[in-house]
């Protein structure tokens, strides 16, 4: 009973973390009257960009606020997941069909997909039945982790440049974190110790928030790009914690 209570508490913290990340992204879209940079790549040919940005911000902010409250958490998770899922289907995939070799584009798809999957999984858990769809969501999250790992290897020097200067062997750390992404992704895809795999992924992503993104925002507190990267990282790490605390992952170990 105590273990189940702790699990529910961790799941709550994960949901609130995702709510904070979504709310931050929504607030930035409202402030800048723009969509979420490369994660929401609205074509330049579309009119009324400011209105689209404000509308996007309102949806993300509403999803985050609803997700922060227990009674409306499932609704907020569904709103946010559905909206971000639309970015993947309506904005990213058409671009990737046109330019399938665009590796940063695949990374953006994986990041948006991981955020959406975290929301869908949170909603399903709150609605009371994991079922086969929950297993699929967990495995698809693992596929996203594989893309994260590949990006660390393909863009190792860029990743190393993000590592704090006070840490030694930054390039080696870029490769190490890429390998961890890949291994946790493979474990989730195979259904091997999914709770532990997702927890390791979540811990590493949370470390990125604490060691990489928060210091960069502290150094440039008004920089929109750094703030966006921070809120995306918070949302991604929270999505990983949602996977780690899900009933399916817990049952399968």
């Amino acid at each position: 009973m105590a273990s189940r209570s702790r699990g529910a508490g961790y799941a709550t913290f994960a949901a609130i973390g995702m709510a904070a990340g979504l709310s931050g992204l929504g607030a930035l879209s409202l402030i800048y009257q723009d969509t979420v940079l490369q994660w929401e790549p609205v074509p330049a040919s579309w009119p009324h960009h400011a209105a689209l940005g404000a509308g996007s911000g309102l949806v993300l902010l509403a999803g985050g606020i609803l997700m922060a409250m227990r009674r409306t958490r499932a609704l907020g998770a569904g709103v946010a997941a559905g909206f971000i899922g639309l970015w993947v289907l309506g904005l990213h995939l058409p671009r990737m069909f046109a330019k399938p070799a665009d590796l940063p584009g695949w990374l953006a798809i994986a990041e948006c997909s991981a955020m959406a999957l975290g929301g869908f999984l949170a909603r399903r858990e709150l609605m009371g039945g994991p079922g086969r769809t929950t297993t699929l969501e967990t495995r698809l999250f693992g596929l996203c982790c594989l893309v994260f790992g590949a990006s660390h290897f393909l863009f190792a020097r860029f990743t190393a440049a993000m590592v704090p200067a006070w840490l030694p062997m930054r390039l080696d750390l870029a490769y190490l974190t890429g390998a961890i992404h890949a291994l946790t992704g493979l474990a989730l895809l195979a259904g091997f110790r999914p709770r532990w795999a997702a927890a390791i992924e979540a811990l590493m992503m949370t470390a990125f928030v604490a060691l990489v993104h928060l210091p960069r925002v502290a150094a440039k507190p008004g920089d929109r790009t750094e703030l966006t990267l921070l809120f995306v990282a918070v949302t991604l790490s929270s999505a990983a914690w949602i996977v780690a605390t899900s009933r399916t992952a817990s049952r399968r170990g």
Side-chain angles (χ1 to χ4, degrees), residues 191-197 244 246-253:
F192 177 75
R193 300 289 187 184
R195 178 178 60 178
W196 288 101
S246 67
R247 285 190 294 273
T248 296
S250 297
R251 280 202 313 269
R252 301 183 67 188

Side-chain angles (χ1 to χ4, degrees), residues 76-138:
V79 167
F83 187 53
I84 296 174
L86 286 176
W87 300 357
V88 176
L89 296 176
L91 299 175
H92 286 287
L93 287 180
R95 286 162 55 100
M96 295 315 301
F97 288 143
K99 296 181 179 179
D102 180 20
L103 298 177
W106 287 112
L107 176 59
I109 286 180
E111 289 175 335
C112 290
S113 297
M115 290 189 283
L117 288 165
F120 281 127
L121 182 53
R123 180 183 181 279
R124 188 163 297 278
E125 291 283 305
L126 290 163
M127 297 298 287
R132 288 181 297 176
T133 305
T134 299
T135 302
L136 177 62
E137 289 157 349
T138 302

Side-chain angles (χ1 to χ4, degrees), residues 1-146:
M1 183 66 70
S3 176
R4 185 177 302 176
S5 177
R6 283 197 301 271
Y10 295 149
T12 297
F13 281 119
I16 291 174
M18 191 168 186
L22 293 167
S23 298
L25 292 173
L28 287 176
S29 286
L30 284 170
I31 291 168
Y32 289 97
Q33 299 286 287
D34 195 8
T35 52
V36 188
L37 301 180
Q38 67 262 34
W39 292 273
E40 191 182 2
V42 172
S45 59
W46 289 16
H48 311 298
H49 270 251
L52 288 170
S56 175
L58 285 172
V59 174
L60 289 170
L61 188 59
I65 291 172
L66 289 170
M67 200 171 177
M69 297 182 287
R70 182 176 60 84
R71 290 187 177 182
T72 57
R73 185 160 295 148
L75 175 61
V79 167
F83 187 53
I84 296 174
L86 286 176
W87 300 357
V88 176
L89 296 176
L91 299 175
H92 286 287
L93 287 180
R95 286 162 55 100
M96 295 315 301
F97 288 143
K99 296 181 179 179
D102 180 20
L103 298 177
W106 287 112
L107 176 59
I109 286 180
E111 289 175 335
C112 290
S113 297
M115 290 189 283
L117 288 165
F120 281 127
L121 182 53
R123 180 183 181 279
R124 188 163 297 278
E125 291 283 305
L126 290 163
M127 297 298 287
R132 288 181 297 176
T133 305
T134 299
T135 302
L136 177 62
E137 289 157 349
T138 302
R139 293 177 191 273
L140 288 175
F141 193 91
L143 184 61
C144 294
C145 292
L146 282 178

